[in-house]
Amino acid sequence: MMIPFLDLKGLNAQYRDELIEACTRVIDSGWYIQGNECKEFEEEFAQYCGTKYAIGVANGLDALILILRAYKELGVMNDGDEVIVPSNTYIASILAISQNNLVPILVEPDINTYLIDQTKIEEKITSKTKAILPVHLYGQTCEMDAINEIAKKHNLKVIEDSAQSHGAYFQDKRSGNLGDASGFSFYPGKNLGALGDGGAVTTNDEALANTIKALGNYGSHKKYENLYKGVNSRLDEIQAAMLRVKLRYLDKEVEKRREIANYYLQNIKNENIILPTLRAEDNHVWHLFVIRTSKRDELQKYLLDKGVQTLIHYPIPPHKQDAYKEWKNESYPIGEQIHDEILSLPISGVQSLEDTKNIVEKLNEFI
């Protein structure tokens, strides 16, 4: 019997009756785009994150694209300006910069936390730098005090990529409320996942929020009146209704993930395996539990043969992708090492203790 990396069907089955009820409510309403469900979710998610505003969009990539686009419309950024971003992130963080005719500037991560190394940011700042885009990778928040201090010193915007960190804290504030704006993904596999694509922007900046809301609605605040050359990027009513149900259970989901993560941390004893570094429990929501080993490919095959499914997040660093051929001769050795050695273990709100113990036993037997 295979232990799945993520049992999405089982995760959503917990809330099946409520999800069906929410879906039925939308169907019966006769209103399927920009209705009450989206409005209510935006208010509830903003309250959860501790921000004044949340704007539902079509997906997590659009969330980041629209933040940067809005800053351009507001005169904060111009074509050719630079945005600092970690070298080991998922490519979406970088695509959002490129699609706005801005220039991604890669900074190496900390080898222990896999998060952008805040001590290496300042050396990459130039007169063209306009923002820092820290990515709360795998569910742990970056060192935001240091990043915000650098941003303040150099008059830069801080745009969080919170696609993997729903509910994570840094000190007394949640992810989404740690910078000037934040982009979230509600891809089905996220800790707060829709039953399709979805995303949101959170911010305390009213002008930014209003601009993003218009940009995602064809550039329009008022029907048939277009302030900007906008796009169609809206969170639909069905997905908003699904997310309203699941938001109520997000903290419970996170606690279950923390229980599994703690069991892994306390019981994986194989000296060939490097465990993730945890700064503080509230900083991490364990979207992914990522180990490292120089024998990654052998370990993945071994676990699969033993009935344990794992994934690699992510096998190829952005600067090695064909999409960014201009970077092919650049070297980011820490990011490259991480991409070559990481392996994500199963972790979810419905993973049993028996399965978790089984995974640990197999890991400890690996030679």
Side-chain angles (χ1 to χ4, degrees), residues 57-68 90-97 99-100 161 163 183-186 198-200 233:
V57 298
N59 54 66
L61 174 57
D62 279 7
L64 295 176
I65 289 173
L66 288 167
I67 292 168
L68 292 166
Y90 182 55
I91 200 166
S93 313
I94 295 169
L95 289 173
I97 300 168
Q99 289 194 22
N100 277 289
D161 184 334
F184 285 88
S185 166
F186 303 127
S233 182

Side-chain angles (χ1 to χ4, degrees), residues 201-240:
V201 172
T202 55
T203 185
N204 292 307
D205 183 333
E206 183 177 11
L208 185 72
N210 288 337
T211 305
I212 289 168
K213 192 176 281 287
L215 283 169
N217 187 39
Y218 300 96
S220 174
H221 279 293
K222 184 178 178 182
K223 197 167 186 178
Y224 303 129
E225 294 182 13
N226 303 81
L227 296 172
Y228 313 106
K229 296 172 184 173
V231 297
N232 176 6
S233 182
R234 303 175 298 206
L235 181 65
D236 71 64
E237 287 289 280
I238 289 282
Q239 298 306 335

Side-chain angles (χ1 to χ4, degrees), residues 70-97:
Y71 276 131
K72 290 180 71 178
E73 295 291 351
L74 291 167
V76 176
M77 299 179 192
N78 295 290
D79 285 1
D81 284 340
E82 297 171 351
V83 178
I84 287 172
V85 65
S87 65
N88 64 316
T89 184
Y90 182 55
I91 200 166
S93 313
I94 295 169
L95 289 173
I97 300 168

Side-chain angles (χ1 to χ4, degrees), residues 32-301:
Y32 309 121
I33 298 287
Q34 290 193 313
N36 189 63
E37 296 295 336
C38 185
K39 179 177 177 291
E40 292 291 332
F41 173 72
E42 288 174 337
E43 292 177 359
E44 290 159 7
F45 192 62
Q47 184 177 20
Y48 180 84
C49 294
T51 57
K52 291 180 181 177
Y53 308 101
I55 305 99
V57 298
N59 54 66
L61 174 57
D62 279 7
L64 295 176
I65 289 173
L66 288 167
I67 292 168
L68 292 166
R69 171 74 189 281
Y71 276 131
K72 290 180 71 178
E73 295 291 351
L74 291 167
V76 176
M77 299 179 192
N78 295 290
D79 285 1
D81 284 340
E82 297 171 351
V83 178
I84 287 172
V85 65
S87 65
N88 64 316
T89 184
Y90 182 55
I91 200 166
S93 313
I94 295 169
L95 289 173
I97 300 168
S98 300
Q99 289 194 22
N100 277 289
N101 294 317
L102 302 169
V103 181
I105 301 298
L106 305 186
V107 170
E108 287 272 63
D110 183 307
I111 190 64
N112 297 307
T113 64
Y114 314 130
L115 304 172
I116 192 168
D117 187 339
Q118 70 278 1
T119 68
K120 296 177 180 176
I121 291 175
E122 226 164 348
E123 65 193 49
K124 294 291 187 87
I125 293 174
T126 72
S127 60
K128 299 285 283 182
T129 308
K130 290 296 188 289
I132 305 170
L133 202 160
V135 181
H136 304 312
L137 201 62
Y138 309 146
Q140 182 162 224
T141 51
C142 298
E143 290 283 2
M144 294 306 296
D145 274 357
I147 291 170
N148 282 322
E149 189 175 326
I150 293 167
K152 185 177 180 181
K153 178 180 175 183
H154 295 276
N155 193 29
L156 308 177
K157 296 297 182 184
V158 175
I159 302 163
E160 300 171 76
D161 184 334
S162 298
Q164 300 185 2
S165 59
H166 315 68
Y169 277 92
F170 181 82
Q171 297 176 6
D172 61 344
K173 290 185 177 181
R174 286 194 199 265
S175 170
N177 191 26
L178 302 173
D180 295 289
S182 180
F184 285 88
S185 166
F186 303 127
Y187 184 76
K190 304 297 186 185
N191 289 17
L192 178 59
L195 274 70
D197 268 323
V201 172
T202 55
T203 185
N204 292 307
D205 183 333
E206 183 177 11
L208 185 72
N210 288 337
T211 305
I212 289 168
K213 192 176 281 287
L215 283 169
N217 187 39
Y218 300 96
S220 174
H221 279 293
K222 184 178 178 182
K223 197 167 186 178
Y224 303 129
E225 294 182 13
N226 303 81
L227 296 172
Y228 313 106
K229 296 172 184 173
V231 297
N232 176 6
S233 182
R234 303 175 298 206
L235 181 65
D236 71 64
E237 287 289 280
I238 289 282
Q239 298 306 335
M242 302 294 100
L243 289 164
R244 290 186 69 198
V245 171
K246 296 183 73 176
L247 179 59
R248 297 198 290 267
Y249 299 101
L250 176 56
D251 289 342
K252 177 178 77 84
E253 165 79 14
V254 168
E255 284 309 309
K256 178 62 190 248
R257 287 173 175 268
R258 285 179 176 153
E259 289 173 15
I260 295 167
N262 287 336
Y263 189 90
Y264 281 150
L265 291 169
Q266 292 167 16
N267 293 283
I268 296 173
K269 303 295 184 184
N270 192 320
E271 62 184 15
N272 294 304
I273 293 171
I274 299 169
L275 296 171
T277 298
L278 175 63
R279 286 202 315 272
E281 188 163 296
D282 276 357
N283 291 160
H284 213 315
V285 292
W286 299 105
H287 171 60
L288 298 172
F289 189 96
V290 178
I291 59 174
R292 265 178 47 231
T293 174
S294 60
K295 302 182 183 300
R296 189 265 308 283
D297 294 342
E298 296 96 317
L299 176 57
Q300 186 174 40
K301 183 180 184 304

